[in-house]
């Protein structure tokens, strides 16, 4: 299921997952993955499969997932217009209420913060909806022009800062915990430090921002103010090589997890970068 590789600067580990699409990390030591066959797989930190669920529980068409501090699993289903709320083993409890939202929602990417506020990308209206842990709308973010052109990824850091990736412009817009715009950064292009096909974003404990670029097969790293620092990755199958990766997350210990889709694995990096 997995194997380990070490080098002078970092330790790399691979968890085998066929057609991995996205992954999420709760506060405890487990890795949640949407597989290519639309199942949800739960691994421990050694890469051993703990549990798998999906169609048998009535779950189809998963797009993204998030896990709160209680172990509740949220599974967005895009065009189906709902989020399934499940227990820690995938049994559906109910469909998310979206209290305070009048129009239909097409939930896509999601993020969750330390207070269990849920951040939902609505691809129908191109906005971000922010809900408290009672499934009530707190506020929404619509972008400078009243809506984003596309939203490729979203994350929230430990201070409540919200990072929204515009897939069309490759700009990352940063908002405070109340949804007020702070700044944006990022430049579209194929050269060093530029972004061509952003699909994921994560922030480490030092505030460094990691943007996953599936076209360039790279992770591009910025400081907390959006200044380019360095990048890593290239096309291939070995260590620090990717084949059209689809997601990135960072855990509390600053381990980096890259969903490496066509290599059928999650590449786990221990920061030594």
């Amino acid at each position: 299921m997995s194997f380990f590789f070490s080098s002078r600067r970092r330790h790399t580990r691979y968890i085998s997952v066929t057609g991995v699409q996205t992954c999420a990390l709760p506060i405890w030591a487990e890795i949640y993955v949407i597989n290519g066959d639309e199942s949800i797989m739960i691994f421990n930190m050694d890469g051993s499969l703990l549990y798998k669920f999906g169609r048998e529980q009535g779950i189809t068409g998963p797009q993204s997932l998030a896990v709160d501090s209680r172990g509740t699993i949220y599974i967005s289903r895009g065009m189906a217009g709902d989020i399934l709320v499940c227990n820690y083993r995938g049994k559906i409890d109910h469909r998310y209420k979206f209290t305070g939202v009048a129009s239909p929602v097409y939930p896509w990417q999601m993020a969750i913060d330390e207070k269990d506020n849920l951040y939902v990308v609505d691809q129908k209206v191109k906005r971000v909806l922010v809900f408290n842990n009672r499934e009530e709308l707190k506020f929404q973010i619509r972008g400078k022009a009243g809506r984003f052109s596309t939203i490729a990824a979203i994350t929230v850091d430990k201070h409540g800062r919200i990072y929204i990736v515009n897939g069309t412009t490759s700009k990352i817009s940063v908002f405070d915990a109340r949804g007020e715009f702070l700044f944006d950064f990022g430049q579209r292009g194929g050269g060093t430090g530029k972004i061509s096909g952003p699909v994921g974003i994560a922030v480490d404990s030092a505030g460094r921002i990691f943007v996953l670029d599936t076209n360039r097969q790279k992770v591009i790293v910025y400081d907390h103010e959006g200044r380019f620092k360095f990048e890593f990755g290239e096309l291939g199958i070995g260590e620090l090589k990717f084949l059209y990766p689809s997601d990135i997350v960072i855990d509390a210990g600053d381990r980096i997890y890259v969903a490496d889709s066509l290599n059928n694995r999650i590449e786990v990096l221990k920061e030594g970068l």
Side-chain angles (χ1 to χ4, degrees), residues 13-253:
R13 174 157 61 96
Y14 305 111
I15 301 173
S16 300
V17 185
T18 302
V20 56
Q21 298 177 22
T22 188
C23 52
L25 299 167
I27 59 173
W28 49 86
E30 290 178 348
I31 306 166
Y32 289 64
V33 173
I34 297 178
N35 198 6
D37 64 1
E38 296 191 343
S39 63
I40 287 85
M41 306 174 75
I42 304 174
F43 297 88
N44 66 16
M45 302 306 285
D46 293 325
S48 299
L49 180 64
L50 299 175
Y51 197 71
K52 180 178 179 178
F53 62 91
R55 291 184 180 274
E56 297 82 1
Q57 288 76 21
I59 299 170
T60 58
Q63 295 295 328
S64 180
L65 56 84
V67 186
D68 70 16
S69 63
R70 300 162 295 183
T72 302
I73 304 170
Y74 302 86
I75 302 169
S76 67
R77 300 200 303 160
M79 298 297 287
D82 63 15
I83 295 173
L84 302 178
V85 183
C86 308
N87 71 8
Y88 75 108
R89 284 299 177 254
K91 181 180 178 181
I92 299 173
D93 182 77
H94 65 279
R95 283 173 169 76
Y96 202 79
K97 298 182 178 67
F98 296 116
T99 303
V101 182
S103 58
V105 176
Y106 290 173
W108 223 260
Q109 299 91 340
M110 296 185 295
I112 200 160
D113 66 18
E114 294 178 351
K115 297 179 180 178
D116 288 340
N117 294 310
L118 187 67
Y119 301 74
V120 180
V121 172
D122 178 9
Q123 289 290 19
K124 182 176 177 63
V125 184
K126 303 296 189 295
R127 60 183 173 175
V128 173
L129 302 169
V130 182
F131 298 90
N132 62 23
N133 58 14
R134 297 182 298 279
E135 304 181 14
E136 300 165 340
L137 182 67
K138 295 180 64 178
F139 59 86
Q140 58 183 291
I141 303 173
R142 286 180 172 265
K144 292 179 179 178
R147 59 184 286 161
F148 295 93
S149 52
T150 59
I151 301 176
I154 184 171
T155 195
V156 185
D157 70 16
K158 63 182 181 180
H159 302 295
R161 273 188 170 187
I162 306 159
Y163 302 79
I164 299 172
V165 181
N166 190 315
T168 303
T169 65
S170 295
K171 288 281 188 185
I172 294 91
S173 298
V174 184
F175 299 82
D176 68 18
R178 299 168 298 175
E180 298 295 328
F181 177 77
L182 296 175
F183 63 92
D184 55 23
F185 67 94
Q187 184 177 357
R188 190 165 185 82
T192 300
K194 304 218 174 119
I195 305 170
S196 174
V199 292
I201 187 167
V203 182
D204 70 8
S205 63
R208 294 191 300 179
I209 305 160
F210 293 67
V211 177
L212 180 64
D213 189 328
T214 194
N215 289 347
R216 296 189 59 226
Q217 320 289 335
K218 292 189 182 297
V219 176
I220 307 163
V221 184
Y222 302 85
D223 69 14
H224 70 285
E225 294 181 345
R227 293 177 295 230
F228 172 70
K229 301 301 290 184
F230 61 91
E231 61 184 32
F232 61 89
E234 61 181 292
L235 182 68
I237 61 173
E239 183 189 15
L240 292 182
K241 294 184 178 181
F242 308 119
L243 197 56
Y244 298 100
S246 57
D247 199 10
I248 184 170
V249 292
I250 299 177
D251 70 15

